[in-house]
Every structure is written in C-alpha cells, then in structure tokens.
C-alpha cells in the first residue's frame, strides 16, 4: 500500500496530530544515508504505482553478468542486467511479488504471485535462461482463495517451498513439484496474520520465515512444513524504528548458523530497518539519498544477495523499488552492501 505523503510532507501533519496517537508519524530514530550506485530502466507502466518487487540472480561464473527479475504489477516481469538495462519483458498481467532459486538440474526457478484473479490466488512459475536472458513460462499453480500478494521461496533439499501471502494475512506454504510436464503444488500448511500482509523472506539455514504485517510489524515463523504455526513479533510498528507500512522483507545472511540480518522496508518514512537474525535485536536504519542517482521513496519490494557482483558491488547487492521517480515511471535502485554496512558501522 502506497502512502501519498513523503516524510518531509508529514512534518506539519505530525504537529497537528500531536497527542492524538501513541505512535508518532515521523520517527525519532535517525537513519544513516547511503547512495545508489546504479538503477534500472523504468517499468513500462507510466503514471501509476506499478514497479513492486525485485529478485536477484547472482551469476557465480561471471558476477558482472548477474540479473535482476522484477515485477511491473500492472503488466508482467522484467529482466534487468547490472547496468540497469531492461533486457527482457514478458506480459503475464498482474504479478505482485517475485522470488527465485537455483534448483540445480531443474534450472533457475522464478515464481511470482499471480493476482490476475483477485478471488483465486495462483503462483506463476518460470525458468530463467541466463544465457538468452529470458523467462520461459512453466505454468501456474492454484493456491487457494484470495488475492495473491506476497511471495517468497525456500529450498528444502530437493523440494522447493513457496510461501504465498494472501492480502488478508493468510500465508499458505506450498510444496512445488517441478518434475512433470507442468508444475503442481501441494498446500502443506496454513499460517495466519490478522491484517493485510505482504513482504516475506525465508531462511533455509535456520528454517525461519519472516513476514511483514503492514500496520503491525515484522513476524517470525517456523518455516518447516511440520513446524508450529504460531508467530513471534520481531519488530513492532512503533513509529520510531519501523513506520507503517511494513513492506519489503529480505535477508542478508552472513557466515553459518543464524549469522546475518533481516532488512525491512519502513515505507512510511522512506527508510529501511535492520535486525539481527541471531537474536532479533535492532541494528540500525538507513535511507537511500539522492546523489548522482536519485533517492528512493515509498519502497515496496527489496532484495539482497551476498557475494561478489563485480567492482561496483564487491560485497553484495541490495535492490530497492523506487515508488517516486519523476519524470520517469517507477524503477529499482542498486546499492552496494559495503556502503550500507559502512554507514551503519557494521563490521
């Protein structure tokens, strides 16, 4: 959900609303500033809230040839290169969130939450061909009633699990079978949050699932198909560290075990909040400020991938949707993980 006001525009409004809410509209916790090192071409849908969610594929043989798959939720899926050039587009209609996993012999599998039918959720599945730089449609998998909204993947051995977040807060865990002529899926369990939810990320190392409930905060669940279904609120919307809407969620794993961080889009004040995976503790906040490339505002989807991505992104790549990118349509900004860590003093 988009806010129509930026953090700057909220300042006079916050003064008028003083005393009417326990949650301040403008956060009191500072945010460090970083600048994007790259950006994508704009999505094809102009004058609309269209760009939404990115997914990064790192090319291990040639990191500079890595690709980003991203949604135009009014039209379909784009494939961008690290220079930000739009290399491929496929018209599949209204797809909201996207994720991908390299499944070895099965290829690089891309899944998107298909909301073309708002009453019946589906997963749209593709194979990414990095040599040809294109997406090959594999088919769609029905995943129950409701509007498909959030989506994240987790590889559990040879099984690919999709977590489909329905707009009303229902989360369905789907075991995908990609071995046949067309993909199929089995709903193995259902989780539930009380209100509208979207962004999610799953950690195969720890078997944990993180989901953003937009006006409540970031939740953590057990991601095992036979695990408990109760969630733990990791980071509440408090108007200080996290400002509604809570939108994109991504993981920045480091080392083994529970090392690394979860990053959340604090859409209400154009910032991003970081928490440790090991103990859910708060690390800091940052904003993508204007430099040679513009700032980001009203960010929906985000993604992170570790590793070397070439000279501009030697220590990992963070990609964020930019909801306000005049005079062009919305697009996605590229940030070096090294710049974020330096700004926040993360070693």
């Amino acid at each position: 959900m988009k806010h129509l006001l930026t953090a700057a525009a909220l300042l006079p409004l916050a003064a008028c609303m003083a005393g009417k809410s326990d949650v301040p509209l403008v956060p009191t916790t500072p945010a460090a500033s970083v600048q994007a090192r790259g950006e994508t071409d704009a999505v094809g849908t102009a004058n609309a809230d269209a760009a939404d969610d990115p997914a990064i594929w790192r090319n291990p043989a040639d990191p500079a040839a890595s690709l980003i798959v991203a949604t135009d939720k009014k039209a379909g899926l784009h494939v961008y290169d690290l220079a930000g050039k739009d290399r491929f587009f496929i018209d599949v209609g209204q797809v909201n969130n996207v994720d991908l996993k390299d499944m070895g012999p099965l290829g690089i599998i891309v899944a998107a939450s298909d909301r073309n039918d708002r009453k019946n959720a589906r997963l749209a599945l593709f194979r990414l061909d990095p040599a040809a730089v294109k997406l090959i449609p594999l088919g769609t998998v029905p995943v129950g009633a409701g509007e498909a909204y959030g989506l994240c993947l987790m590889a559990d051995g040879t099984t690919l699990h999709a977590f489909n977040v329905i707009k009303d807060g229902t989360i369905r865990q789907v075991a995908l079978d990609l071995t046949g002529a067309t993909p199929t899926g089995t709903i193995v369990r259902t989780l539930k949050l009380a209100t509208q939810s979207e962004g999610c990320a799953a950690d195969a190392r720890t078997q944990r699932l993180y989901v953003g409930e937009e006006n409540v905060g970031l939740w953590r669940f057990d991601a095992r198909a036979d695990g408990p279904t109760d969630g733990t609120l990791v980071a509440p919307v408090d108007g200080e560290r996290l400002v509604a809407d809570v939108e994109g969620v991504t993981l920045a794993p480091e080392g083994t075990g529970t090392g690394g961080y979860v990053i959340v889009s604090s859409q209400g004040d154009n910032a991003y909040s970081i928490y440790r995976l090991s103990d859910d503790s708060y690390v800091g906040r940052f904003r993508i400020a204007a430099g040679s490339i513009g700032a980001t505002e009203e960010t929906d989807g985000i993604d992170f991938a570790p590793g070397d991505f070439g000279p501009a992104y030697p220590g990992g790549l963070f990609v964020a949707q930019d909801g306000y990118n005049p005079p062009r349509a919305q697009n996605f900004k590229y940030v070096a993980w090294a710049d974020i860590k330096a700004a926040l003093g993360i070693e």
Side-chain angles (χ1 to χ4, degrees), residues 57-66 308:
W57 174 71
R58 179 181 176 273
N59 186 331
D62 183 6
S66 300
D308 176 22

Side-chain angles (χ1 to χ4, degrees), residues 86-291:
D86 191 352
R87 300 284 301 277
F88 178 83
F89 174 76
I90 185 168
D91 182 354
V92 289
Q94 300 180 51
V95 286
N96 198 55
N97 277 195
V98 66
D99 200 3
L100 59 81
K101 293 293 178 187
D102 190 336
M103 295 302 292
L106 295 174
I108 304 161
I109 303 301
V110 176
S113 52
D114 185 333
R115 63 197 296 222
N116 286 291
D117 180 350
R118 300 299 174 93
K119 294 183 178 180
N120 296 285
R122 295 183 298 179
L123 298 178
L125 297 172
F126 308 84
R127 183 176 289 110
L128 174 63
D129 182 339
V133 189
K134 67 178 183 179
L135 293 169
I136 302 167
L138 300 177
T140 60
V141 174
V143 288
E147 181 180 343
Y149 214 47
L151 183 281
C152 53
L153 299 175
M154 184 182 76
D156 184 9
T158 59
T159 301
L160 185 61
H161 286 259
F163 297 90
N164 186 209
V165 182
I166 304 301
K167 195 171 185 178
D168 69 0
T170 302
I171 306 158
R172 298 191 182 106
Q173 184 171 353
V174 184
L176 297 171
D177 185 347
L178 305 167
T179 59
T182 58
T184 59
T186 302
I187 298 173
V188 295
R189 65 174 184 159
T190 300
L191 312 171
K192 187 70 174 74
L193 292 172
T195 61
Q196 183 167 311
S197 305
E198 182 177 2
C200 70
D203 191 346
R205 303 172 310 158
T206 60
Q207 299 283 296
R208 292 175 178 175
L209 170 69
Y210 297 84
V211 183
E213 186 176 6
E214 293 188 358
N215 291 321
V216 177
L218 177 69
W219 292 83
R220 171 168 45 78
F221 291 91
D222 191 314
R224 294 173 296 179
D226 59 353
T229 58
D230 294 337
T232 299
L233 184 61
V234 171
V237 166
D238 58 4
E240 297 183 358
R241 294 175 174 175
L242 199 56
V243 182
D245 290 343
V246 175
E247 288 283 349
V249 179
T250 191
L251 302 176
E254 291 191 347
T256 59
T258 59
Y261 310 91
V262 56
I263 309 172
V264 187
S265 171
S266 177
Q267 190 189 77
D269 72 319
N270 307 324
Y272 310 89
S273 299
I274 302 182
Y275 304 86
R276 285 186 180 84
L277 293 173
S278 59
D279 58 7
D280 302 332
S281 62
Y282 171 74
V283 175
R285 316 172 77 242
F286 68 95
R287 289 192 179 92
I288 301 173

